[in-house]
Amino acid sequence: MKRAGPIARRWPLVAIVVCFACARATVHETPGPAAYPRTRPELTSYRETSRYSDVRHFLDSLRVLHAPLAFGSIGKTNEGRDIPYVIASRPLVSTPAAAKALGRPIVYVQGNIHAGEVEGKDALLALLRDLSFSPTPNALDSIVLIAVPIYNADGNERFAPQSVNRTEQNGPESVGTRANAQNLDLNRDYVKAEAPETRASLAMFNAWDPDVFVDLHTTDGSFHGYALTYSPSLSPAAVFGGVYARDSLLPLLRERMRVRDGFEIFDYGNFVSDEPGLVRDTVHEAWATYDSRPRFGTNYYGIRGRIAILSEAFSHDSLARRIASTRAFVNEILSLVAEKGGAIRSLSARADSLPLAWGRSPDSLQMVAIRSELIATPRMMDVLKEDLEKTGDSSLTQPGVPRGERRTGRVHAVRMPVYDRFMSTLDRTPPAAYVVAPQDTGIARLLRLHGIRVERSDSAWTARGEGYVVDSIITSPRQFQGHHEVRLKGHWQRGVQALAPRSFIVSTAQPLGALAVYLLEPESDDGFTTWNLFDRDLKTGGRFPVTRIFDLSRRGRSANRRSSASSAQPQ
Ligand SMILES: [Zn+2]
């Protein structure tokens, strides 16, 4: 399977883009299934996963067979690899404007963010092939699918034995790494956006504005009895898509996966006996989810006012079963989104218009949750648990199972508290705008990268508002992702604020207003402050460099009203 360079070199982006036209303009005979490309796992009895060249070759084969798909690149990785995306819809579209004109929900599905967690990549490729060649009606008649099968392409190419790169996983033999080529975990990068992969995906979010984002992973924790566990956005600031996914979509998906696909699935979590610290020490056994902070992609996407779904295939299942469960789950998501297209589209519209109403009527102000913790009152539910037993020696019974233990296949339901959601511990009322000091050009650039509109004042001005006085700066002693995270304590001082000429103005009356609040508030649990972006300006007793303004009527005239979001174009 060592077939690297030549195939990749035969696949220049220009050729692919040019072929959008020929795929649309010409009627081709539909190839028979014998001609369809097969994924690396399908070709190797599920012993191997796809290399980057395999993915490119597979997509190239679909193109050659005139599959009704549009191909492109979301951008380049750190090592210069194009990150391919594929659009699937009937009729086929290849631009955000054409997708929007169809008036359908847009679903963005991403595989391989952690490149050792391989089944999302291979499941997506097979699903694209089978849906696009299917002559019968399917979800592609009612949605637009954007598939990004190999997001962390550089990590994928750092192949090493599973026992090295993914110790808690049942194969395949060799897999990529969790981190990208900069040693960054891409699923901790959605706020600070230090990786080129993150910046490329934010540009895709801004350009295509998907209604639903699905991120495909593999677990590395408890021995539970589920083929797959899932999570909506857990941020309490995700008041639209987060709640709708949790209460309306995911219970239906769970039911359909059981009845139609034969897979038990459940809310993502771990037994607290496996992961102490998830809940209070007094709780002996419980099932608890992970984290609500937007450094994680699906939590982040919920704060953008959209639906996000985390998918975690069970790492102790075989690769074949993990691919099957992930594929079934994505397929059920696409079908359900197709059915609920009207409701989902109006949810997106409501999420966009609420912050805009903030600008017109202060009465419509909705608080934005900026800090949260796991709920204190869990529900009691049955959770499936698998028994492990001792082998009596130190043998390895299955890759990913601790030495000296074996799986029994005996799964039983245990009634226990389930902590599946977070509650807000600090809410903030959006001001009319945040004003950022003129020297903080990096902050303005990063806000624009997130799709947030940023303007600039011409002249010095004054406005009613409040500034934050820093009482203490708590810096984490532990380094994480190259940072020492910062947390502030302080107090607000209300009054007339003097604002410098050329300061940056971030109105909250824009579709991503809640995201702007979350990123800029000094006390957010995962905002720009957390990631050291304001360190230069912080001192105890000093003023935080972002000011809250209550009305914008007297501001200096804006020199630049352009939205930076429009600069993000698909390739
Ligand atoms: Zn993962």
Side-chain angles (χ1 to χ4, degrees):
M1 70 145 233
K2 310 288 181 289
R3 43 202 183 86
I7 292 162
R9 281 198 295 274
R10 282 208 310 269
W11 219 72
L13 183 63
V14 172
I16 302 148
V17 173
V18 165
C19 201
F20 293 162
C22 65
R24 282 201 306 271
T26 317
V27 176
H28 295 277
E29 218 168 276
T30 311
Y36 297 167
R38 297 172 74 200
T39 64
R40 195 81 205 150
E42 290 168 346
L43 290 166
T44 62
S45 303
Y46 294 87
R47 280 192 317 278
E48 297 176 14
T49 186
S50 302
R51 300 294 297 251
Y52 181 72
S53 57
D54 294 319
V55 173
R56 305 291 306 241
H57 184 61
F58 186 95
L59 298 180
D60 198 25
S61 301
L62 293 178
R63 183 181 63 78
V64 167
L65 292 170
H66 303 288
L69 300 167
F71 302 87
S73 165
I74 75 166
K76 286 195 189 295
T77 65
N78 205 56
E79 293 181 336
R81 293 183 177 89
D82 273 308
I83 304 167
Y85 73 75
V86 183
I87 312 287
S89 69
R90 302 192 296 215
L92 183 62
V93 294
S94 57
T95 64
K100 195 128 282 190
L102 285 180
R104 300 174 176 180
I106 299 174
V107 186
Y108 187 102
V109 188
Q110 172 174 281
N112 207 58
I113 183 170
H114 292 143
E117 304 169 15
V118 299
E119 60 273 13
K121 167 185 61 185
D122 292 313
L124 258 183
L125 293 176
L127 190 60
L128 275 172
R129 172 195 61 203
D130 298 343
L131 284 178
S132 64
F133 283 131
S134 165
T136 53
N138 63 40
L140 298 185
D141 300 304
S142 313
I143 65 162
V144 174
L145 169 64
I146 304 173
V148 181
I150 187 163
Y151 178 50
N152 182 5
D154 291 352
N156 194 79
E157 293 310 278
R158 285 164 161 68
F159 254 39
Q162 159 273 325
S163 58
V164 175
N165 274 354
R166 281 286 294 164
T167 52
E168 294 186 63
Q169 184 168 295
N170 184 11
E173 291 161 4
S174 293
V175 298
T177 56
R178 182 178 183 87
N180 78 345
Q182 298 160 282
N183 204 28
L184 290 177
D185 184 334
L186 297 177
N187 205 27
R188 305 292 183 275
D189 195 44
Y190 279 93
V191 170
K192 58 190 172 64
E194 291 176 324
E197 294 88 348
T198 311
R199 295 196 286 270
S201 86
L202 292 180
M204 286 293 284
F205 292 163
N206 295 336
W208 292 84
D209 191 16
D211 299 277
V212 183
F213 168 54
V214 184
D215 200 20
L216 304 176
H217 293 252
T218 318
T219 61
D220 42 26
S222 295
F223 284 85
H224 56 63
Y226 303 102
L228 185 147
T229 44
Y230 53 77
S231 177
S233 176
L234 294 174
S235 171
V239 289
F240 291 95
V243 173
Y244 181 75
R246 184 189 72 202
D247 296 342
S248 299
L249 297 182
L250 288 164
L252 255 177
L253 286 167
R254 185 179 175 206
E255 178 67 16
R256 289 181 178 186
M257 282 287 279
R258 177 190 295 132
V259 173
R260 306 205 296 209
D261 304 284
F263 292 112
E264 286 291 343
I265 67 172
F266 195 55
D267 287 271
Y268 177 82
N270 285 290
F271 297 113
V272 298
S273 48
D274 295 329
E275 290 209 20
L278 281 174
V279 297
R280 291 185 308 276
D281 295 346
T282 49
V283 178
H284 172 63
E285 186 57 298
W287 179 255
T289 187
Y290 69 111
D291 201 309
S292 66
R293 290 173 294 179
R295 62 188 61 189
F296 298 87
T298 48
N299 294 336
Y300 167 78
Y301 206 67
I303 306 179
R304 293 179 66 108
R306 299 289 183 265
I307 293 164
I309 298 174
L310 172 76
S311 164
E312 296 263 356
F314 185 43
S315 63
H316 302 295
D317 275 345
S318 67
L319 176 61
R321 184 169 155 88
R322 295 192 330 253
I323 290 176
S325 60
T326 301
R327 180 196 158 118
F329 189 55
V330 174
N331 197 35
E332 292 289 2
I333 291 172
L334 301 183
S335 298
L336 187 55
V337 173
E339 284 171 39
K340 307 246 176 214
I344 288 171
R345 298 253 308 143
S346 56
L347 188 75
S348 295
R350 283 215 313 280
D352 286 351
S353 63
L354 181 79
L356 295 170
W358 296 347
R360 290 193 293 271
S361 156
D363 298 340
S364 65
L365 276 186
Q366 165 132 8
M367 308 275 268
V368 177
I370 61 165
R371 299 193 68 83
S372 63
E373 62 183 33
L374 208 54
I375 45 158
T377 50
R379 289 178 298 161
M380 292 300 289
M381 294 178 80
D382 285 338
V383 182
L384 298 180
K385 187 168 191 174
E386 181 177 358
D387 294 329
L388 294 188
E389 63 187 16
K390 301 283 183 204
T391 59
D393 56 25
S394 61
S395 58
L396 183 67
T397 56
Q398 176 185 310
V401 174
R403 283 188 179 278
E405 293 188 63
R406 75 164 69 85
R407 295 179 64 187
T408 62
R410 285 197 306 271
V411 171
H412 51 100
V414 183
R415 196 127 188 108
M416 65 178 76
V418 171
Y419 295 82
D420 64 350
R421 62 195 69 181
F422 284 74
M423 59 184 184
S424 173
T425 54
L426 185 61
D427 292 310
R428 283 286 174 242
T429 305
Y434 292 92
V435 176
V436 179
Q439 68 272 17
D440 280 328
T441 51
I443 298 295
R445 206 177 311 122
L446 189 54
L447 287 166
R448 287 172 173 151
L449 196 67
H450 279 281
I452 293 166
R453 201 174 61 241
V454 180
E455 299 170 70
R456 251 189 140 159
S457 66
D458 280 345
S459 51
W461 50 302
T462 57
R464 282 191 315 111
E466 56 190 350
Y468 186 78
V469 181
V470 178
D471 295 330
S472 62
I473 304 166
I474 302 135
T475 304
S476 169
R478 186 175 78 106
Q479 197 186 59
F480 179 70
Q481 300 288 304
H483 290 264
H484 291 274
E485 293 168 65
V486 163
R487 194 168 173 155
L488 297 181
K489 286 190 174 160
H491 61 278
W492 292 96
Q493 273 181 351
R494 218 166 252 218
V496 174
Q497 310 292 316
L499 300 154
R502 306 293 293 155
S503 47
F504 295 101
I505 304 168
V506 185
S507 166
T508 58
Q510 57 176 306
L512 294 175
L515 181 63
V517 172
Y518 189 92
L519 296 177
L520 289 173
E521 278 291 329
E523 293 167 305
S524 293
D525 53 13
D526 199 17
F528 285 174
T529 299
T530 312
W531 295 103
N532 308 118
L533 290 159
F534 291 118
D535 275 11
R536 198 185 54 187
D537 301 320
L538 295 180
K539 64 172 192 286
T540 305
R543 274 281 294 256
F544 186 70
V546 180
T547 305
R548 295 161 57 96
I549 295 301
F550 299 148
D551 79 84
L552 277 172
S553 55
R554 297 179 58 198
R555 70 172 166 161
R557 265 204 323 280
S558 170
N560 179 3
R561 288 176 175 275
R562 273 181 305 133
S563 161
S564 67
S566 61
S567 65
Q569 291 300 324
Q571 297 176 39

